[in-house]
Amino acid sequence: MKYIYAFIASTLILTSCGESKVVSVEDVISSGNLSEIRAKKKEIESSQKEITQQLEVLSAAISLYDTVKRLPLVTTFNVSQVVFNHHLELQGNVSTKKNVLVYPEIPGIIKKIYVKEGQYVYKGTVLALLSDGGLSDQIAQLETQTKLAKTTYERQKSLWEQNIGSEIEFLKAETAYFANTNAIKQLKKQQEKTKLTAPFSGIIDDIYKEEGMVIAPGQGSELLRIINLSDMYIDAEVPESYITSVTKGKHVEVYFPVLNKTVEATVRHVANHVNPSNRTFKVEVKVANPKSDIKPNLTAKLKINDYKNESAILIPQSIISENANGEQYIYIVTNKKSNNEAIVERKIIETGKTQGDIIEVLTPFPNGVEIINEGARSVTNGQSVKIISYDSDSLAL
């Protein structure tokens, strides 16, 4: 008790003596003198420590003289170890490998378009037919010549096998026949290019040309667009600091704001290249699309599970305070009585990853320790409090 009186008296004396020499923070900053600014900061930090000590002594005095025991009311929760999954939140765009424009390989007039917009077609289905530019006539002419060349070749071959005639005549007939045969094959291959076929099964999304129009290979000559919505994925860029934690096979929660839909997915590909301009690397997240409602270029929000702690201690960020040395601390209760009265004890902690309003505590705590939740900002070390409610479970995500 004598200590309490002496401390309060000395505090009042020091306060009254220093009042005439008080210089405001604004005045110190406006002076631009770095040494004075640092000195003022140190002075305030010292004052903060003194005030904290004063509050603790005053709280002790209140506990000593307050016979009614008007104790601060607090709530607590119990420390226990839970599974903590941390998620990296990103934004990405929906894409598909099967979203292509169909172009002609040879020039020609569009004779027939066999499909309509919105129609589902299978791989290899003929989508349109172009004029062949006289290829049919050339093939017919060559086929007639080939018949003659074949007859000549067969006769020369028969004579040569009987050792009749010259070898050169046989070789000429053989060369003419096979040359014509190969020429017909080449022309028929060209003729097949007049048929534009589906490169894969999918939906005709748009048709850009009409029958009777002239079309040729090159930019701006696309005939139609075909899309398959069964193999969808999301492209996203991940900061390089996560290169060791975001890997192939990681679980991903995908949310589509426009559809108000959430699906579960996994990372199917992680790029090996880091973009030097923004220090990111790309990932692909495969998403199932059974209803075909997920469209290319939709925006998606990703939550990638980049960290997991099987035995984490989680607390609300709002109950953490920081002292003048930059250390984080919380309050626990000790000496709890049967009437729920207890003593406050400050604990310095080290924190880890955060998720929303929850933060991971890396400092070990024994199971069963009660941490002050509501009222944590209004108590001091050594103060008596009364616990009005108690949550036996720790917080979990």
Side-chain angles (χ1 to χ4, degrees):
M1 187 182 301
K2 291 180 179 179
Y3 170 75
I4 293 173
Y5 283 134
F7 187 86
I8 295 174
S10 62
T11 300
L12 293 173
I13 292 169
L14 288 171
T15 305
S16 61
C17 292
E19 286 178 353
S20 60
K21 298 181 181 180
V22 173
V23 180
S24 69
V25 174
E26 291 77 7
D27 292 339
V28 173
I29 293 175
S30 62
S31 71
N33 189 314
L34 185 59
S35 298
E36 291 184 4
I37 294 172
R38 286 175 174 166
K40 186 66 176 177
K41 180 176 180 292
K42 188 176 291 186
E43 176 189 333
I44 293 173
E45 289 174 348
S46 177
S47 300
Q48 183 179 357
K49 291 180 181 179
E50 291 178 5
I51 291 170
T52 301
Q53 292 174 354
Q54 294 170 21
L55 288 172
E56 291 177 356
V57 172
L58 290 171
S59 296
I62 291 171
S63 299
L64 179 65
Y65 293 113
D66 189 1
T67 56
V68 181
K69 293 246 178 188
R70 296 176 181 172
L71 301 178
L73 304 179
V74 299
T75 65
T76 63
F77 64 89
N78 190 45
V79 169
S80 64
Q81 296 178 340
V82 296
V83 177
F84 174 45
N85 286 299
H86 182 267
H87 295 90
L88 170 65
E89 297 186 8
L90 301 168
Q91 183 169 299
N93 291 316
V94 178
S95 299
T96 175
K97 302 289 186 183
K98 296 181 178 180
N99 177 11
V100 302
L101 295 169
V102 177
Y103 291 86
E105 293 186 63
I106 60 172
I109 300 171
I110 303 174
K111 295 179 66 176
K112 186 69 177 178
I113 297 177
Y114 297 105
V115 293
K116 297 178 180 179
E117 292 178 356
Q119 180 179 340
Y120 186 88
V121 296
Y122 292 95
K123 181 179 180 180
T125 300
V126 178
L127 307 175
L129 179 66
L130 306 181
S131 62
D132 61 12
L135 286 175
S136 299
D137 295 336
Q138 294 181 48
I139 292 171
Q141 184 179 356
L142 268 176
E143 285 177 341
T144 301
Q145 295 174 2
T146 303
K147 287 181 182 179
L148 177 60
K150 181 181 180 182
T151 302
T152 304
Y153 163 66
E154 289 174 346
R155 288 180 179 179
Q156 289 293 334
K157 181 181 180 182
S158 176
L159 291 172
W160 178 248
E161 289 173 350
Q162 299 176 49
N163 293 322
I164 301 173
S166 65
E167 182 181 8
I168 193 66
E169 291 298 326
F170 165 68
L171 292 175
K172 283 181 179 180
E174 182 183 48
T175 302
Y177 169 61
F178 285 110
N180 282 358
T181 302
N182 290 331
I184 290 173
K185 288 180 181 179
Q186 292 300 319
L187 288 176
K188 285 186 176 180
K189 284 183 180 180
Q190 285 293 103
Q191 191 179 43
E192 280 298 310
K193 292 179 181 179
T194 62
K195 298 177 183 178
L196 278 67
T197 59
F200 50 80
S201 298
I203 297 171
I204 305 300
D205 194 55
D206 206 350
I207 298 176
Y208 303 104
K209 298 292 188 291
E210 297 179 1
E211 294 179 2
M213 295 180 67
V214 177
I215 194 171
Q219 190 68 28
S221 62
E222 61 273 9
L223 176 65
L224 53 81
R225 179 186 294 275
I226 181 171
I227 297 177
N228 187 309
L229 299 178
S230 62
D231 185 19
M232 309 297 287
Y233 68 95
I234 299 169
D235 266 330
E237 294 185 339
V238 182
E240 67 175 348
S241 57
Y242 293 92
I243 200 164
T244 58
S245 55
V246 176
T247 55
K248 184 178 179 181
K250 285 284 187 176
H251 177 266
V252 185
E253 183 181 290
V254 183
Y255 174 66
F256 301 97
V258 173
L259 303 176
N260 192 26
K261 176 178 180 177
T262 301
V263 299
E264 305 297 319
T266 56
V267 176
R268 76 173 182 185
H269 173 69
V270 177
N272 296 307
H273 171 72
V274 175
N275 188 334
S277 61
N278 58 8
R279 312 308 305 174
T280 63
F281 61 96
K282 285 189 175 183
V283 296
E284 284 185 8
V285 178
K286 183 177 181 179
V287 289
N289 192 22
K291 296 182 179 179
S292 298
D293 54 347
I294 301 172
K295 311 295 184 183
N297 300 317
L298 270 182
T299 299
K301 294 183 178 180
L302 310 179
K303 287 185 178 180
I304 303 177
N305 179 212
D306 66 316
Y307 170 79
K308 185 175 184 178
N309 186 345
E310 297 285 353
S311 55
I313 298 173
L314 306 177
I315 64 173
Q317 295 190 62
S318 59
I319 70 171
I320 298 176
S321 300
E322 188 173 298
N323 61 22
N325 297 323
E327 297 173 316
Q328 293 180 314
Y329 64 88
I330 58 174
Y331 289 109
I332 65 171
V333 295
T334 59
N335 301 323
K336 185 178 177 181
K337 301 177 181 178
S338 58
N339 61 356
N340 280 343
E341 291 183 10
I343 303 298
V344 174
E345 182 180 343
R346 182 190 296 120
K347 285 290 185 182
I348 303 296
I349 62 170
E350 182 182 352
T351 56
K353 294 184 178 294
T354 62
Q355 193 74 63
D357 297 329
I358 304 301
I359 190 167
E360 176 189 26
V361 177
L362 302 179
T363 305
F365 278 91
N367 284 339
V369 171
E370 291 182 45
I371 297 176
I372 296 179
N373 188 6
E374 295 181 23
R377 296 283 189 177
S378 58
V379 297
T380 57
N381 192 41
Q383 184 178 13
S384 295
V385 295
K386 187 175 183 65
I387 303 169
I388 58 172
S389 67
Y390 170 75
D391 181 3
S392 61
D393 297 322
S394 66
L395 301 183
L397 292 179

